[in-house]
Amino acid sequence: MTSSTVRAHWAARFLFFAAGFMFATWGVQIPTVKTVYGLGVGAIGGLVLAAGVGSVLGLTQAGWLIARHGARRVAWWGALLSAVALVLLLHMPHPVLLWGLLGLFGLATGLLDVAMNADASELERHAGRPLMSAFHGMFSLGGMVGAGVGGLLFTAGVAPKLQLLAVAVFSMLLVGWSVRQMAPAPVAAEEAHGRFVLPRGRLALLGLLAALGFVVEGAIYDWSVLFLASERGAPQQQAALAYASFSAAMAATRFVGDRLRARWSAVGLLRASACLAAVALALVLLSPNVPLALAGFALVGVGLANVVPVLFSAAAQVPGVAPAHGISAVASVGYCGFMVGPSIIGFVAHGSSLTAALALVVGCALLQAALARRALRD
């Protein structure tokens, strides 16, 4: 590879890392936000919903913005708005303004998400080999480092406002270097319209597969710790390992995911991944043993690791559709699963049990495996 190509690849890695770092920082600071503004659990749920609605808006608008202005500029503004939102997170004079700020944060992360994936798909196309999994591995790594750094800063007694400022500055330094290395992509004028077209045909199927995957992922993020604590009686510090084992396994698998994608067909890999996630989650639900359940959560992370890279790469290669538009459409539909799925699980759990609710998630993974061939064409 030429030196400019090497720099472009590292720029994409740093961009994914910065996105994961900033996203994790918001999660780390949720207890601080709750304390500073005196909010209850319901209000925090409203903030999360505001961020989710903003994300969907950003995802739906990213395609035409990238077509008009290029992935490099959209990535810069998405990252900058995300950083500004983090800096202002603890400075809002009224909770209503805080909801608006979280909506802005979600919109910005949605724009950044599509822009960096569009850039990654272009790098993958030029390289002629799979690269997307490793880029998403950098996002996962950024999230792990962001959470770890946040914990260390709290332990060291660093004020939350200073933490947020430091994260914003560090992230923008990475993003600033990265966007300068991104090559401007030529764009057809007819692609730069301001409408979001609902995905149809293959894009709709890819979006459905993404939504099913995000339902499983969101279930683990939101309910795994509570499941071990309430259904298996695990102490809090042990129950917290459910999320940690899932995230670490997902990140590690993504760094070897491109080798798997080079050896396996997209259909075969997605089927195997979804089946592994389903079997692993079933193991969690059936096992009364906490260590075995933790191993099961880790295997769910292994199973889900390559789902998004495979689907986003496929979305960027749909004939007659610009990569940014394809990724935008699939990500928009997929993220709805991330937003709605955990809420449905909570509703079902309220009427029966969390174990019964998570059994539905096993069905989502199996349905994803069943639909893989229809959506992915080798």
Side-chain angles (χ1 to χ4, degrees), residues 29-375:
Q29 295 292 341
I30 287 178
T32 306
V33 170
K34 184 176 184 296
T35 300
V36 168
Y37 293 99
L39 302 177
V41 176
I44 292 296
L47 292 179
V48 173
L49 179 61
V53 171
S55 293
V56 172
L57 180 60
L59 291 168
T60 59
Q61 300 304 307
W64 75 268
L65 286 171
I66 292 170
R68 179 172 294 178
H69 303 291
R72 179 166 60 182
R73 186 171 295 179
V74 174
W76 166 256
W77 281 105
L80 181 61
L81 290 174
S82 298
V84 169
L86 287 177
V87 171
L88 296 177
L89 187 61
L90 302 179
H91 294 277
M92 292 292 99
H94 194 278
V96 172
L97 296 177
L98 183 63
W99 292 336
L101 184 70
L102 263 296
L104 175 65
F105 179 73
L107 184 147
T109 57
L111 294 176
L112 176 58
D113 194 328
V114 177
M116 67 189 188
N117 275 286
D119 178 60
S121 69
E122 188 68 12
L123 292 174
E124 189 174 65
R125 186 180 68 82
H126 280 294
R129 58 187 175 88
L131 297 172
M132 190 70 80
S133 292
F135 290 138
H136 281 263
M138 290 299 292
F139 180 88
S140 299
L141 181 62
M144 292 175 61
V145 172
V149 168
L152 289 174
L153 292 176
F154 275 115
T155 302
V158 178
K161 291 180 180 179
L162 186 58
Q163 291 182 37
L164 290 167
L165 179 61
V167 167
V169 171
F170 171 75
S171 299
M172 289 313 300
L173 287 175
L174 279 182
V175 172
W177 181 84
S178 298
V179 295
R180 285 197 296 271
Q181 313 308 317
M182 293 170 63
V187 177
E190 62 270 17
E191 296 173 357
H193 58 75
R195 297 169 297 170
F196 173 72
V197 179
L198 289 174
R200 300 175 181 175
R202 189 179 178 194
L203 278 180
L205 281 173
L206 290 172
L208 175 59
L209 289 181
L212 291 170
F214 278 128
V215 167
V216 182
E217 189 172 339
I220 304 301
Y221 282 142
D222 291 339
W223 296 107
S224 60
V225 176
L226 182 61
F227 172 81
L228 284 188
S230 63
E231 304 278 309
R232 296 295 179 264
Q236 185 67 33
Q237 62 271 24
Q238 190 177 30
L241 294 176
Y243 174 77
S245 63
F246 168 79
S247 299
M250 175 179 278
T253 305
R254 279 178 166 171
F255 283 115
V256 299
D258 291 322
R259 296 180 187 177
L260 297 176
R261 291 178 59 212
R263 289 171 177 259
W264 289 42
S265 68
V267 173
L269 182 56
L270 187 63
R271 276 182 172 173
S273 298
C275 287
L276 176 59
V279 171
L281 186 54
L283 173 67
V284 170
L285 299 179
L286 294 173
S287 173
N289 184 283
V290 173
L292 190 58
L294 290 174
F297 280 124
L299 287 175
V300 176
V302 173
L304 292 181
N306 286 301
V307 169
V308 170
V310 166
L311 294 177
F312 279 16
S313 291
Q317 298 169 23
V318 173
V321 180
H325 281 287
I327 294 171
S328 173
V330 171
S332 302
V333 176
Y335 197 75
C336 289
F338 197 83
M339 290 174 57
V340 175
S343 300
I344 294 176
I345 292 169
F347 179 78
V348 174
H350 180 73
S352 55
S353 70
L354 187 52
T355 299
L358 290 175
L360 298 177
V361 178
V362 176
C364 289
L366 292 175
L367 181 58
Q368 189 180 57
L371 294 175
R373 180 165 295 281
R374 292 192 62 185

